[in-house]
Amino acid sequence: MKIKKIEVFAIHLPLIQPFIISYASYPHISSIIVKLTTECGQVGWGESVPDEHITGETPESTYALIKHTFAPLMIGQNPMEFEKIHELLDKTVKRAPAAKAAIDIACFDVTGKKLGVPVYQLIGGRYHDRFPVTHVLSIGEPEDMAKEAEKKVKEGYTSFKMKVGVNVLDDVKRIQAVRARVGEEIAIRVDVNQGWENSANTLMALRQLEGLGIDWLEQPVDQNDIDGMVEIKSKTSIPQMIDEGIKDMRDMREIIAKRAADKVNIKLMKCGGIYPATKLANMAEMAGIECQIGSMVESSIGSAAGFHVAFSKKIIKSVELTGPVKFSKDIGDLKESYMIPFIQLNERPGLGVHVDESVLAELTQKSDIIE
C-alpha cells in the first residue's frame, strides 16, 4: 500500500462559546485537516491543531510545512510503516509535532481501514471499556463558573477541569466557588496553564486549596521549570500533573529522573501523533507515573485519535478530549459517542469517524492537493 495523494485543508471550527485559558482566548479553533489517499483507493484522515505558545507552530506555518514539505515527502511511502514514517519526518524537520501529528493520524486511520480493524487494535488492543467525560470550565467570574458547573452536574457530568491562571488570589476564589456549588463528590481538576509563573505563587495558592479535595493541579509554572515542579510536588499533598512541560521523550526522561510529577498529560499535538504518544505512555508506565490524554480542542478526527491511544493503555487513567461537544459544527460524527458522563468508542475500522465532506468544504478557508 502506497500513498498516492494528500489533500490539506485549513479550517475554522466554530465554538459554541469562546474557549478562555490563561494565555489566550479562542473565538474558534484553527485546524489543519489532512486527507490521505492510497493507490488502492483507501482514505485516511488526520488533523493538526497547533499552538504557538506550546509547540511553536501556527496554523499558517503548519499548513505551509505540510503542503510544501511533509506531503511531498509522503507520496510513495507505505503508511503502515509508522516507525519509518516518523524517522523520515524527524530527519526532515527537527520539531513541528502538531504538523507531524496530522500525517501520523492519517496513516493510522488508513491502515486500520485497510486491515479492517479499529486503530486501538494496532497499538495494543482495547483495554478500557469506557472513560468518564470531563467538562472543561473556561476562565470566568467565580459565580459564573459555579453556575456553569452546577448546570453541567444536572446534565450528568461528574468531573470538571477548571481553567485558571490569571491571578492567584482570584483563582483560589474561582476554585472555592465551584467546590461549594457542586459538593464534595464531584471531581475537580485545576489547570493553571503556566499562569502562576513560579513555585512561590503556587505554594501560596495550594495552602488555601489543601482541604478542597482537588484531584490534581496541572502545570502551575512555566513549562521549562521542571525544578519548580519538583519543589511544588515535595511541599504539597495535592497531586501534580505536568502538561506543557512534557512534549517528547527527552522531557519524559527528565521528569522521571527528577520525579517531578505524579501524572503527565500526553497530547498528540505536542508529541507528534499516535505513535509517539504510545512511546511516552510506555515510558511513564515503567516509571509508575499515571497518564492522561489531553486535547488542543481538536475536531472528531484528532479527538478520536487521542481516544484510541487512551483506550489501549492501562496506564492512561483519564481523558480530556471534549472538542466535539464544544463545537457548534464539526466535520465528523464522534459527538455521537459521548453518552454523558461517559464516552464509548465504536468498533468501526480506523479512527471510526465518518467525515462529512460538505461540512469540511463549508468550514475550509483554503486547500491544496499534493500528488
Side-chain angles (χ1 to χ4, degrees):
M1 185 165 66
K2 303 293 183 182
I3 298 171
K4 179 182 180 181
K5 178 174 67 174
I6 290 179
E7 298 168 67
V8 56
F9 308 83
I11 71 171
H12 285 172
L13 291 157
L15 289 160
I16 298 171
Q17 295 178 327
F19 186 60
I20 304 171
I21 57 179
S22 65
Y23 56 78
S25 177
Y26 298 94
H28 63 261
I29 298 298
S30 297
S31 172
I32 309 301
I33 303 299
V34 163
K35 180 182 180 182
L36 179 157
T37 304
T38 67
E39 292 176 337
C40 57
Q42 290 283 0
V43 171
W45 294 93
E47 181 174 19
S48 174
V49 178
D51 187 330
E52 59 267 38
H53 301 92
I54 301 173
T55 70
E57 302 161 278
T58 67
E60 294 77 16
S61 70
T62 300
Y63 186 93
L65 182 58
I66 293 173
K67 174 186 173 182
H68 295 295
T69 305
F70 288 165
L73 184 69
M74 289 297 103
I75 302 301
Q77 297 297 327
N78 183 346
M80 304 175 79
E81 296 173 345
F82 307 125
E83 186 83 30
K84 182 178 178 181
I85 291 293
H86 276 280
E87 182 182 43
L88 286 170
L89 295 173
D90 292 342
K91 282 184 175 179
T92 306
V93 177
K94 185 170 179 61
R95 286 284 301 155
K100 292 174 183 177
I103 300 297
D104 168 284
I105 293 167
C107 287
F108 271 95
D109 188 31
V110 78
T111 298
K113 290 173 180 174
K114 176 68 173 178
L115 299 178
V117 298
V119 165
Y120 57 70
Q121 296 292 11
L122 304 175
I123 51 176
R126 186 165 184 158
Y127 177 81
H128 300 281
D129 291 326
R130 62 183 186 177
F131 268 108
V133 177
T134 297
H135 179 73
V136 180
L137 297 169
S138 292
I139 296 174
E141 293 299 317
E143 180 62 18
D144 293 338
M145 295 179 77
K147 285 181 179 178
E148 181 180 348
E150 182 179 37
K151 177 176 178 289
K152 291 300 178 179
V153 168
K154 292 177 180 178
E155 292 177 11
Y157 286 91
T158 59
S159 63
F160 294 99
K161 178 175 186 171
M162 291 189 62
K163 291 289 188 178
V164 298
V166 177
N167 174 281
V168 174
L169 296 179
D170 290 341
D171 287 339
V172 169
K173 293 176 183 177
R174 292 181 174 98
I175 300 163
Q176 291 171 335
V178 171
R179 172 56 80 201
R181 188 65 59 91
V182 301
E184 297 181 359
E185 301 302 316
I186 299 297
I188 294 177
R189 298 89 184 253
V190 177
D191 186 4
V192 189
N193 287 119
Q194 309 176 73
W196 289 349
E197 298 181 348
N198 55 54
S199 57
N201 288 338
T202 301
L203 291 169
M204 179 178 67
L206 287 174
R207 283 192 288 271
Q208 301 178 67
L209 299 176
E210 286 283 354
L212 293 184
I214 304 300
D215 276 16
W216 60 75
L217 182 73
E218 184 175 339
Q219 199 66 54
V221 298
D222 183 87
Q223 59 188 305
N224 297 314
D225 190 6
I226 298 298
D227 290 336
M229 291 297 299
V230 173
E231 180 185 6
I232 293 163
K233 180 173 174 284
S234 70
K235 294 180 179 179
T236 182
S237 63
I238 297 176
Q240 299 297 302
M241 175 183 281
I242 289 181
D243 177 5
E244 289 91 337
I246 169 66
K247 303 180 189 71
D248 53 28
M249 289 190 288
R250 190 205 67 80
D251 292 334
M252 184 67 85
R253 284 196 298 269
E254 183 177 3
I255 291 165
I256 291 170
K258 294 182 176 180
R259 304 187 65 83
D262 303 288
K263 303 170 185 286
V264 293
N265 194 6
I266 298 171
K267 294 179 179 177
L268 273 59
M269 299 301 138
K270 292 188 303 180
C271 68
I274 292 170
Y275 195 62
T278 62
K279 290 185 176 182
L280 291 179
N282 291 337
M283 290 178 71
E285 184 171 28
M286 287 189 291
I289 298 175
E290 291 186 355
C291 300
Q292 171 175 281
I293 296 294
S295 168
M296 297 288 206
V297 195
E298 299 95 345
S299 77
S300 288
I301 295 171
S303 298
F307 277 122
H308 278 274
V309 176
F311 272 78
S312 72
K313 300 298 176 186
K314 180 180 178 181
I315 196 64
I316 296 172
K317 305 297 185 181
S318 61
V319 294
E320 288 176 353
L321 297 157
T322 58
V325 297
K326 289 186 174 297
F327 298 124
S328 59
K329 188 168 289 186
D330 190 3
I331 60 174
D333 59 351
L334 186 63
K335 188 175 180 179
E336 297 173 2
S337 297
Y338 288 80
M339 291 166 277
I340 306 302
F342 297 103
I343 185 164
Q344 296 172 296
L345 288 186
N346 61 56
E347 297 183 3
R348 298 197 295 252
L351 294 175
V353 172
H354 170 71
V355 175
D356 188 330
E357 296 198 49
S358 65
V359 176
L360 175 62
E362 178 186 344
L363 300 181
T364 294
Q365 307 297 304
K366 62 178 178 179
S367 63
D368 281 283
I369 300 174
I370 299 92
E371 297 184 87

